[in-house]
Amino acid sequence: MAGGPIYPSSAYPADSSGRLFPTFYSGSGGNAAPHDEGLGVIASLDADATWELRFPMPPTIPTGTLKLRLLALANATSGVAKVTVKDKNVAAGASPSAAALTSETQVTVTWGAGNNDQYLESKVTLTSTPAGNDVLVVALTFNTTGWTLAQVSCWLASIIWE
């Protein structure tokens, strides 16, 4: 049985230099609902910057492989973004700030001709094994090394089981 999506109950931009910010992406399609709310990242990222996310787990964990699903939006027809995911499940009564996060595979998202104003999807398999009612602590570090995206980007994060 697959499950999700679960969206973060908390999203904190751990950057004091304005590289990260809550944002609304405004699509150019012209329909009655062209906006997405998400995690904003500046154009031409000049230093690594981390969004800290918390995902409350349901009382019963679905079967399947636990994954972080990222949807990226930018008004761009070229460019590369790099994201490193770290995660750890934390039970009630434990400290999320003391949890040692596990680094997962780095994600590369590439914009090409025709990708502007489109969801670009990435899925990262997570090694955490949360129990019911745990909180999944996730750090999304946007990496400047290899980053060539010259447009502001909007990221939507969710947890799924496949």
Side-chain angles (χ1 to χ4, degrees), residues 69-117:
R69 179 180 186 230
L70 293 172
L71 295 175
L73 287 163
N75 187 16
T77 56
S78 66
V80 173
K82 303 273 189 169
V83 184
T84 300
V85 178
K86 294 182 180 180
D87 61 287
K88 181 71 174 177
N89 56 293
V90 178
S95 172
S97 62
L101 305 183
T102 301
S103 187
E104 308 292 359
T105 304
Q106 186 182 59
V107 173
T108 299
V109 179
T110 303
W111 278 261
N115 288 141
N116 58 309
D117 200 28

Side-chain angles (χ1 to χ4, degrees), residues 24-44:
F24 288 94
Y25 179 84
S26 181
S28 59
N31 70 21
H35 297 93
D36 280 283
E37 178 183 15
L39 312 172
V41 180
I42 64 167
S44 304

Side-chain angles (χ1 to χ4, degrees), residues 79-160:
V80 173
K82 303 273 189 169
V83 184
T84 300
V85 178
K86 294 182 180 180
D87 61 287
K88 181 71 174 177
N89 56 293
V90 178
S95 172
S97 62
L101 305 183
T102 301
S103 187
E104 308 292 359
T105 304
Q106 186 182 59
V107 173
T108 299
V109 179
T110 303
W111 278 261
N115 288 141
N116 58 309
D117 200 28
Q118 293 182 354
Y119 292 122
L120 299 184
E121 180 182 52
S122 301
K123 294 178 184 176
V124 178
T125 299
L126 303 179
T127 54
S128 293
T129 54
N133 295 320
D134 280 358
V135 173
L136 186 64
V137 174
V138 174
L140 291 181
T141 300
F142 293 86
N143 306 116
T144 189
T145 301
W147 186 286
T148 63
L149 183 62
Q151 299 293 326
V152 171
S153 54
C154 176
W155 299 76
L156 292 80
S158 62
I159 296 297
I160 59 172

